[in-house]
Amino acid sequence: MTSRRAFVQGTGWAALAAFTGVPRMAAAAPRWAPYRDTISIDALSGSELFYLPEGDPGVPAALQALRDSGMTALMVAPAPQGQFWYTDAAFEKTKREMEAWKAVVARHPDVLTLIEDHADLERARRERKVGVIFTFQGTEPLGEDPDRIPMFRAMGLRVLQLTHNRRNLIGDGCMEPGNAGLSNLGHQVVERLNAEKVVIDLAHGSQRTIREAILASKAPVLIGHTGCRALVDVPRLVHDDELRLMADRGGVAGIIFWPYIREQGQQTSADVIRHIEHALKVCGEDHVGIGTDINLTPVDVTPDYVRENTEMLKGMIADGIFEQGRDPNLLLFVPDLNMANRFEVLAGLLSARGHSDARIAKILGGNFARVMGEVWGD
């Protein structure tokens, strides 16, 4: 998650339809009756609440979106990402941000709760609160020191993504043409994460990094926000062989909401479902989840938002994150799932396609909860 988080607040369907030509079709989709009693986990999301000062006029809307979402837990990333953050200043910044975000959770105990073990997930579901699971999108805050892992775990870190898009000391990210695998230090970090009961996330990894980390880990891993490269051949998504290997060893892959899941044009809920259903065929229903990589609050698509979104997409295309020729006017989120209760709507769409309630519950969060329980314990 990057500066796009600053865009995410309110709702604006009229502007959205005018900008994208996508009608408000999912808003009228059938809801899934068991949703509010089901564990639902987004394996990468966020809320502008973590960036707003206390008393900001945007706070009530952010809190209302969290209430409306019906989510059990969001995985959120307070650490710097996407650059080589190896300095002492970055290390200290990460610690400060973690404490600041925990303070936000503590200020709103009627809405938010910190997730530290599997029992906390069940408690969040039962109490109708949104759980907060801390992750880092990259191991840069560790520097060269795996001994920082227990320190960060004591501060609340429960999931650690090994790489972001570029190469780091652990291994290659997906945008590195060399496709190098796990480094010697990377093997040490995987071993230490297993020992400290921190879930390993391989999203953004290169093909070799993903494969080698799956094989190195003694515990199931996540590929928390990705898609199926068999459907769209871009580096950010994962090949069937790695998805199958991950599943064979008990892991879970979450389907992302970004434009990667469609070759051209604006992605919709139909594309999300297409990737979910392909992953089900490859991995089985015990190994598929959702990781939107999108903030929870519905987006107000104002003219300013459109301008900023287009400039951001142009920058991503220039950086190679999206391929040349990709339309810079695309929205990063799924327009017909632009609502706080997007998981409930998506569940209704899956149900209408004949997926059983038990399978839908696994996809919405049951599978992630299983892995977290196996790694964290109760």
Side-chain angles (χ1 to χ4, degrees):
M1 312 287 287
T2 65
S3 61
R4 66 183 182 278
R5 286 168 168 161
F7 302 160
V8 181
Q9 51 188 335
T11 186
W13 271 106
L16 178 63
F19 179 53
T20 65
V22 176
R24 190 181 177 178
M25 53 187 176
R31 302 305 197 264
W32 187 59
Y35 176 66
R36 300 287 162 156
D37 295 314
T38 299
I39 287 180
S40 54
I41 301 173
D42 190 334
L44 193 66
S45 185
S47 169
E48 71 275 20
L49 187 66
F50 292 112
Y51 300 92
L52 297 175
E54 190 173 2
D56 188 280
V59 168
L63 289 170
Q64 190 58 49
L66 288 160
R67 294 187 190 99
D68 292 345
S69 73
M71 295 296 298
T72 304
L74 307 176
M75 200 178 297
V76 300
Q81 65 195 51
Q83 298 186 37
F84 296 122
W85 298 96
Y86 294 122
T87 64
D88 288 341
F91 174 55
E92 295 300 325
K93 175 179 171 61
T94 299
K95 293 191 290 183
R96 287 195 306 272
E97 288 298 295
M98 291 187 74
E99 293 301 331
W101 286 30
K102 284 194 290 185
V104 172
V105 174
R107 280 201 299 272
H108 304 285
D110 57 324
V111 178
L112 297 174
T113 185
L114 188 65
I115 302 297
E116 297 185 299
D117 57 34
H118 187 266
D120 287 340
L121 288 171
E122 177 55 34
R123 178 176 53 81
R125 183 204 63 78
R126 186 177 63 251
E127 296 178 358
R128 301 287 198 266
K129 296 180 181 180
V130 179
V132 174
I133 303 170
F134 283 139
T135 186
F136 297 162
Q137 284 208 84
T139 49
E140 284 79 359
L142 302 182
E144 299 180 59
D145 188 1
D147 287 337
R148 289 180 178 177
I149 293 171
M151 180 205 70
F152 280 126
R153 193 184 195 284
M155 294 180 68
L157 184 71
R158 289 298 179 270
V159 181
L160 184 57
Q161 184 178 303
L162 296 189
T163 68
H164 200 254
N165 288 332
R166 62 174 68 184
R167 175 178 295 151
N168 65 16
L169 299 179
I170 303 305
D172 269 11
C174 60
M175 299 309 300
E176 293 289 348
N179 189 29
L182 207 61
S183 68
N184 289 333
L185 178 61
H187 281 275
Q188 294 175 33
V189 166
V190 166
E191 183 177 2
R192 192 62 182 272
L193 290 169
N194 286 167
E196 299 295 337
K197 299 183 178 180
V198 176
V199 176
I200 294 169
D201 190 341
L202 302 178
H204 287 267
S206 71
Q207 184 178 16
R208 278 189 60 195
T209 298
I210 290 173
R211 170 169 286 272
E212 292 174 13
I214 293 169
L215 293 172
S217 178
K218 296 176 182 177
V221 302
L222 308 181
I223 310 176
H225 55 294
T226 189
C228 304
R229 196 161 176 175
L231 299 181
V232 183
D233 188 13
V234 295
R236 182 62 184 78
L237 307 187
V238 179
H239 291 286
D240 285 358
D241 285 350
E242 280 66 49
L243 289 173
R244 194 173 292 110
L245 179 64
M246 173 216 68
D248 288 346
R249 297 172 74 92
V252 181
I255 301 303
I256 197 170
F257 277 22
W258 273 43
Y260 302 117
I261 60 175
R262 186 183 179 112
E263 287 187 352
Q264 286 292 346
Q266 184 66 57
Q267 76 279 17
T268 70
S269 59
D271 298 297
V272 175
I273 291 171
R274 186 166 66 106
H275 281 258
I276 288 174
E277 291 182 339
H278 181 85
L280 288 170
K281 292 176 183 176
V282 172
C283 302
E285 66 179 33
D286 294 323
H287 306 284
V288 181
I290 303 167
T292 67
D293 201 9
I294 298 295
N295 277 4
L296 183 140
T297 306
V299 178
D300 185 359
V301 188
T302 64
D304 285 344
Y305 177 94
V306 171
R307 282 193 298 273
E308 292 180 38
N309 182 82
T310 300
E311 288 306 308
M312 185 169 61
L313 263 291
K314 287 179 179 177
M316 290 179 172
I317 292 167
D319 290 343
I321 295 173
F322 289 111
E323 68 276 15
Q324 292 295 321
R326 179 73 75 157
D327 183 359
N329 295 306
L330 295 177
L331 299 168
L332 291 181
F333 60 89
V334 176
D336 61 322
L337 293 174
N338 186 35
M339 62 278 292
N341 65 328
R342 59 200 180 193
F343 272 41
E344 183 178 15
V345 174
L346 180 58
L349 295 172
L350 289 169
S351 181
R353 290 180 61 81
H355 295 282
S356 69
D357 286 354
R359 171 180 288 174
I360 293 169
K362 291 177 181 180
I363 294 168
L364 293 192
N367 289 333
F368 284 135
R370 171 185 55 79
V371 170
M372 291 168 181
E374 289 180 25
V375 176
W376 299 340
D378 293 328

